[in-house]
Amino acid sequence: MFTAIFGSVEQGIIYAIMALGVYLTFRVLDFPDLTVDGSFVTGAGTAATMIVLGYHPVLATLTAIVAGFIAGCLTGLLHTKGKINPLLSGILMMIALYSINLRIMGLTSENSIGRPNIPLLNSETLFSLFYRWWGKLGIDETINSLLESIGVQYVPGTWGTIVVVGIIVLIIKLIVDWFLKTEVGLAIRATGDNKKMIRSFSANTDNLVIIGLGISNALVALSGALIAQYAKFADIGMGIGMIVIGLASVIIGEAIFGTKTIIRTTLAVISGAIVYRIVLALALRIDLLDTGDMKLITAIIVIAALILPQYIDKRREKRRKARRHMQRTISEVQVLKQEGNDLA
């Protein structure tokens, strides 16, 4: 159980980066961007391809971010300059990216134009570089021996993944928090709330939409690059359903932790991604379910996350109305008693 939850937390932190990207489009920009399913694989494929070709993992990861940014900007151009419906713009770019991703991964093979997957089992990645330094510190042995002393039977091989990814996610969260409070960030938030209003202040909403979509898909591509290096492979089908996972993370996080401030909201999105992975791991431990049911479980989690908050809000509103009615009744009774005393 502990190992399963630990692995879910590791993956949840990585997918939290993708969830932040989805949050920027769906909540901040109010843009239903389905490019995510394609740009996630673009990040994974670009990073894996460059690593296999001998480039440094850091450079490969940065290139993946740029590739995702370009994909998002193209979706923005289709919508703003091509006047295509936002939902259709994302779908068209997602379809186009399928072939583009095959071409990118095909660069690792001389005899193939397109390649559906790239293994990274014997390749140097960000994680393997970090593990070499982390292993010398002896922190894993200390923590694992402490866990074994309190009765934990199965301990993780390394705590380094959570540390390095946690640092990356924390930095990204702080950057996103800062960016959304800058002049450009505030303009993007205003564009999502009311385009006509922000246009009246002579703001170029087209450029703001393009920038917002570019940043969003850059984060999604970064998540894909890290997942590819974490899982030691990149596959053309690994992006299927990413938009649903991102939405589930955003909805769960907002429902549990609230959205009063930007800092709290981004933290809620990150926490939602971790909670989602833990719930998914626990659900898969049920005997009746297997890995083929992951999409069904995801759909059920999203439905529950959408319906439960509404049900809870209705119950709270009923309680508030009942409380107000009770207070009003008590006040009326007190007034009647006072009037009776005055007449006596």
Side-chain angles (χ1 to χ4, degrees):
M1 178 68 75
F2 179 81
T3 306
I5 294 176
F6 183 84
S8 300
V9 173
E10 283 185 340
Q11 295 180 44
I13 296 175
I14 302 176
Y15 281 112
I17 303 173
M18 182 267 296
L20 284 172
V22 173
Y23 164 75
L24 288 177
T25 50
F26 275 83
R27 285 290 190 258
V28 176
L29 206 53
D30 194 24
F31 191 104
D33 183 26
L34 298 184
T35 313
V36 171
D37 282 16
S39 59
F40 185 86
V41 184
T42 301
T46 301
T49 298
M50 291 191 67
I51 288 171
V52 169
L53 292 177
Y55 291 93
H56 195 277
V58 174
L59 179 60
T61 304
L62 293 175
T63 306
I65 296 172
V66 174
F69 181 81
I70 293 171
C73 289
L74 289 174
T75 302
L77 287 170
L78 288 175
H79 171 59
T80 57
K81 307 304 180 184
K83 305 301 178 185
I84 300 175
N85 178 277
L87 191 63
L88 185 57
S89 299
I91 293 172
L92 290 172
M93 197 62 213
M94 177 183 66
I95 294 171
L97 283 174
Y98 185 88
S99 297
I100 293 171
N101 293 334
L102 283 173
R103 288 274 185 171
I104 290 173
M105 292 193 287
L107 295 174
T108 59
S109 176
E110 296 180 359
N111 302 322
S112 177
I113 296 176
R115 186 175 178 181
N117 52 67
I118 299 175
L120 296 173
L121 294 174
N122 299 317
S123 302
E124 193 82 270
T125 65
L126 282 176
F127 295 102
S128 60
L129 288 173
F130 183 79
Y131 292 156
R132 275 207 300 270
W133 172 80
W134 178 260
K136 297 176 183 178
L137 302 178
I139 297 176
D140 288 335
E141 291 79 4
T142 304
I143 298 176
N144 288 342
S145 61
L146 180 62
L147 290 174
E148 289 172 352
S149 66
I150 61 176
V152 179
Q153 294 182 347
Y154 302 101
V155 294
T158 179
W159 293 78
T161 304
I162 283 184
V163 173
V164 65
V165 178
I167 293 170
I168 293 172
V169 171
L170 178 61
I171 293 171
I172 291 171
K173 175 193 158 31
L174 294 175
I175 292 173
V176 171
D177 292 342
W178 167 80
F179 174 75
L180 291 176
K181 293 178 181 178
T182 62
E183 186 175 344
V184 176
L186 289 170
I188 289 175
R189 289 163 64 184
T191 301
D193 289 334
N194 192 328
K195 276 189 179 182
K196 291 182 179 179
M197 181 202 72
I198 195 66
R199 280 199 196 106
S200 67
F201 292 101
S202 302
N204 191 326
T205 55
D206 287 355
N207 288 344
L208 292 172
V209 169
I210 293 170
I211 292 171
L213 288 170
I215 294 172
S216 169
N217 284 279
L219 292 176
V220 173
L222 172 58
S223 179
L226 292 176
I227 284 291
Q229 295 176 69
Y230 172 81
K232 288 287 188 177
F233 76 94
D235 188 85
I236 193 66
M238 67 192 304
I240 297 174
M242 280 300 121
I243 187 62
V244 179
I245 294 173
L247 281 174
S249 302
V250 172
I251 293 167
I252 291 170
E254 290 178 345
I256 297 175
F257 302 101
T259 59
K260 288 186 177 180
T261 63
I262 290 295
I263 295 174
R264 183 172 175 176
T265 303
T266 52
L267 182 61
V269 171
I270 293 170
S271 302
I274 297 172
V275 170
Y276 166 78
R277 299 307 302 189
I278 292 174
V279 172
L280 190 63
L282 294 176
L284 290 174
R285 292 181 68 86
I286 300 173
D287 294 336
L288 296 176
L289 301 174
D290 57 29
T291 53
D293 298 319
M294 284 184 65
K295 302 302 180 185
L296 175 62
I297 297 169
T298 299
I300 293 172
I301 293 172
V302 174
I303 292 169
L306 288 170
I307 294 175
L308 284 177
Q310 298 179 36
Y311 175 75
I312 293 170
D313 288 341
K314 286 181 180 178
R315 291 290 299 273
R316 286 175 180 170
E317 185 61 29
K318 284 183 179 179
R319 289 198 197 99
R320 280 195 291 266
K321 287 182 179 179
R323 197 179 300 115
R324 285 197 297 265
H325 179 71
M326 181 66 70
Q327 290 173 351
R328 197 180 305 116
T329 303
I330 293 171
S331 299
E332 290 174 355
V333 170
Q334 289 175 345
V335 169
L336 290 173
K337 284 182 178 180
Q338 186 62 40
E339 290 177 352
N341 292 333
D342 292 341
L343 289 174

